[in-house]
Amino acid sequence: MSWPSLQFLLDRCRDGRKVRVVAVCAQGEDVLFALDGASREGIVDGVLVGGKAKIEWGASALGISLAPFEIVDAPTEYEASEQAVRLVLEQQVTIPEAAQLILQAGAMGLPVICSHITGNIDIITNNETGLIFDSGNEEQLLKMLQYAILHPQHLKSMAEKLQQEIKENYRQENIWQNILAAYKTLVN
């Protein structure tokens, strides 16, 4: 995978700095395993966003300690997505890794409107799997939001296509395995 964000992560690892990432609806087995492994390897600090009880139950069932992670309790998928976006906007997580929010929203079948930044443009094809606006162009974003309100079926269709692409091309455990393998080559 030649994701520019991966290069950012590798550069951070070379410098000995962890990347702070956010996982939305983080009670999933693959998410918990990936973040646990990456945390134990010293690659990331994780923020788990979702139903706190579900996250705790999932981690307990898998024998994963939540001690290294911050948990943001957000019981519904909508609230979890909203909290994750807030973390990104407040720069509490590493911005180049914000593309994982796109992957997570897409995996949940949610429509995506995103800015034209590294990571986002590697995942979203404008007007096919989501809508992309020029970074900082508020007028363009407003027009896209208005379009989304007026054309919900088109947004739903793009969300379904994105969800299928993510299922086929972005299995989270594979991405984290690739990142971990690349990190291990740096430290060996």
Side-chain angles (χ1 to χ4, degrees):
M1 150 175 230
S2 62
W3 206 5
S5 297
L6 177 59
Q7 186 59 50
F8 173 83
L9 177 61
L10 295 175
D11 291 343
R12 292 285 294 251
C13 292
R14 278 191 195 103
D15 295 343
R17 295 179 291 157
K18 291 182 182 182
V19 176
R20 187 162 167 82
V21 297
V22 60
V24 181
C25 299
Q27 65 271 10
E29 180 178 313
D30 58 339
V31 174
L32 290 169
F33 271 134
L35 286 177
D36 180 55
S39 176
R40 282 188 281 112
E41 289 289 332
I43 300 171
V44 300
D45 283 327
V47 180
L48 309 178
V49 181
K52 185 175 182 179
K54 289 180 182 178
I55 293 170
E56 289 172 342
W57 182 87
S60 176
L62 298 169
I64 293 174
S65 169
L66 294 175
F69 304 107
E70 176 184 342
I71 298 175
V72 176
D73 189 23
T76 68
E77 290 178 356
Y78 178 80
E79 290 171 308
S81 297
E82 190 175 66
Q83 290 299 316
V85 169
R86 179 189 59 77
L87 290 168
V88 171
L89 291 174
E90 293 175 359
Q91 298 184 356
Q92 294 183 31
V93 294
T94 307
I95 298 301
E97 299 307 327
Q100 71 181 356
L101 295 176
I102 303 298
L103 289 173
Q104 292 169 346
M108 292 186 292
L110 300 174
V112 172
I113 300 174
C114 61
S115 61
H116 189 276
I117 62 170
T118 299
N120 293 354
I121 60 174
D122 296 312
I123 300 166
I124 300 297
T125 302
N126 194 34
N127 215 29
E128 290 182 28
T129 57
L131 298 174
I132 301 173
F133 64 92
D134 294 328
S135 297
N137 189 334
E138 294 174 11
E139 185 176 318
Q140 190 179 29
L141 171 59
L142 177 61
K143 286 180 182 179
M144 288 187 177
L145 290 169
Q146 290 169 335
Y147 178 86
I149 291 167
L150 295 173
H151 301 92
Q153 281 307 115
H154 186 221
L155 272 283
K156 182 179 179 185
S157 172
M158 288 189 293
E160 289 169 355
K161 185 173 181 182
L162 177 59
Q163 187 176 39
Q164 187 60 40
E165 281 190 19
I166 289 171
K167 285 180 181 177
E168 293 172 5
N169 302 316
Y170 292 96
R171 288 185 43 93
Q172 191 165 17
E173 63 187 30
N174 294 343
I175 292 170
W176 282 104
Q177 288 171 356
N178 291 340
I179 291 171
L180 183 57
Y183 174 77
K184 286 182 177 180
T185 63
L186 292 174
V187 296
N188 292 333

